[in-house]
Amino acid sequence: MKLARPDVRHPRIVLAGCAALIDGDGDDAGLVAALRSRGLHARWLSWDDPETLEADLVILRATWDYTARLGEFLDWTGRVRNLLNAPAVVAWNTDKRYLADLEAAGVPTVPSRFFAPGETVDLPSVEVVVKPAVGAGSVGAQRFIDADRARDHAMALQADGLTALVQPYDPRIADGETALVFIGGEQSHAFTKGPLLPPPGERIALDESGTYAEESLQPAEPDFELWDVGRAALRAAAAKLDVDVDELLYARVDVIGGPDDPRLLELELVEPSLGWRQLDESARATQQRVFALGVESALDRLGLGPLKNRSLSHRRP
């Protein structure tokens, strides 16, 4: 490939997937071209490929098998030269106990209870969702009406060494979730995700790779009250992690409910699908360009080329 400026050193950028889906599920297919249009070279590798350790910058995009290898994954995040989002962000966000931090910061959040291995599982006699606190793609999440069956599932997770997360089932989830996407801390676009959870006691159907549950997605134009929840979540997370909001290259905030009482369900800062395919061609190109500009800003912040060798007067948005 011919780079835009062969006379300067270009940083080696990796978009990280996993062995089952090295280049993701296709949603991020335009990112390499978007980065290339800014003179940046990127390629896809599985996160556990030793070549990632030679990259100047690794961007997590489809590392959807990390939950089964969490210790190894977190160790790897500390060994790559530079990571987006940063290792401290990843370590905090891979465990859904971060929800307690956001709730404590005043973010309207779906109530959550956590039961670590060895702790007594005490559940209310209401419909609940039980899932592992460390999990991705809705793997291991189930819905229960019967408290005994819910407790059994939570205890099975504990027996596997996992912390169980229990949340009351909110009937508004039947209308799906609104996924709010932020790039560089700024509002980008949104889409809705159809309800994932099957009837009580049944397991979620996974895709062929077994790494995530297939979703029904639609473009969305959320009310400002939902975006306010998303911004509050990002501010709270940045404050907790002592980083600036714009240092979060990407974020997805999943919210349930409408403008009268929106509630944060999850804040995804590790490897969320960003729903590029829900945008029309023009909007997708524009927002992926914003993503590429966010990568440029990160490279500048990290002191990496080629941007540090360019005169600011030659940079154009």
Side-chain angles (χ1 to χ4, degrees):
M1 184 192 78
K2 183 181 290 185
L3 294 173
R5 288 285 305 276
D7 56 320
V8 297
R9 177 182 176 276
H10 289 262
R12 293 164 293 182
I13 301 172
V14 164
L15 301 176
C18 60
L21 291 166
I22 290 178
D23 53 359
D25 63 359
D27 189 58
D28 285 329
L31 291 184
V32 168
L35 292 166
R36 187 173 298 181
S37 73
R38 303 296 301 175
L40 301 172
H41 175 233
R43 61 172 175 154
W44 285 89
L45 289 174
S46 178
W47 68 266
D48 53 1
D49 188 317
E51 290 192 41
T52 60
L53 301 178
E54 301 302 318
D56 297 297
L57 177 66
V58 175
I59 303 172
L60 300 174
R61 291 308 314 126
T63 56
W64 294 329
D65 64 352
Y66 76 83
T67 57
R69 304 162 61 190
L70 183 61
E72 180 184 355
F73 177 73
L74 293 179
D75 175 70
W76 169 83
T77 65
R79 290 190 293 122
V80 295
R81 293 176 179 173
N82 294 285
L83 187 73
L84 294 177
N85 288 319
V89 175
V90 173
W92 177 75
N93 194 235
T94 50
D95 190 322
K96 291 182 177 62
R97 283 178 285 194
Y98 72 78
L99 290 168
D101 294 330
L102 298 182
E103 184 178 25
V107 180
T109 304
V110 173
S112 303
R113 299 179 66 190
F114 300 90
F115 300 94
E119 294 182 346
T120 300
V121 179
D122 178 22
L123 300 184
S125 296
V126 297
E127 188 168 357
V128 296
V129 175
V130 181
K131 64 181 84 171
V134 175
S138 296
V139 176
Q142 291 189 50
R143 173 182 162 195
F144 297 94
I145 294 175
D146 185 283
D148 289 335
R149 295 187 65 186
R151 187 179 301 105
D152 288 345
H153 183 53
M155 292 175 65
L157 294 174
Q158 291 177 314
D160 288 336
L162 303 174
T163 294
L165 163 59
V166 180
Q167 298 171 316
Y169 177 75
D170 190 322
R172 297 178 300 173
I173 199 69
D175 298 324
E177 307 166 24
T178 301
L180 310 169
V181 178
F182 294 82
I183 303 298
E186 297 292 333
Q187 174 179 325
S188 177
H189 59 282
F191 56 97
T192 58
K193 304 191 295 177
L196 280 173
L197 289 175
E202 296 185 15
R203 297 181 182 274
I204 289 176
L206 302 179
D207 84 307
E208 292 180 356
S209 73
T211 58
Y212 65 94
E214 296 193 31
E215 301 170 314
S216 174
L217 309 180
Q218 297 287 338
E221 293 290 341
D223 294 296
F224 73 86
E225 291 90 347
L226 276 68
W227 283 110
D228 284 347
V229 170
R231 282 186 281 269
L234 260 62
R235 288 195 301 269
K240 174 69 178 178
L241 295 163
D242 194 26
V243 300
D244 292 332
V245 171
D246 62 5
E247 292 180 43
L248 302 173
L249 173 61
Y250 52 81
R252 196 186 78 204
V253 184
D254 294 343
V255 177
I256 61 172
D260 54 332
D261 183 29
R263 295 271 170 169
L264 180 139
L265 185 62
E266 289 195 33
L267 168 62
E268 300 273 7
L269 299 175
V270 180
E271 33 57 78
S273 293
L274 298 176
W276 300 116
R277 287 181 291 198
Q278 306 313 309
L279 298 173
D280 62 42
E281 186 174 350
S282 175
R284 187 185 316 132
T286 297
Q287 294 311 111
Q288 288 186 338
R289 185 164 169 269
V290 172
F291 183 96
L293 287 168
V295 175
E296 281 193 3
S297 295
L299 290 169
D300 276 346
R301 185 173 69 248
L302 296 167
L304 297 170
L307 303 184
K308 67 177 181 178
N309 297 313
R310 297 183 189 172
S311 166
L312 291 176
S313 64
H314 292 112
R315 290 180 62 191
R316 293 180 172 81

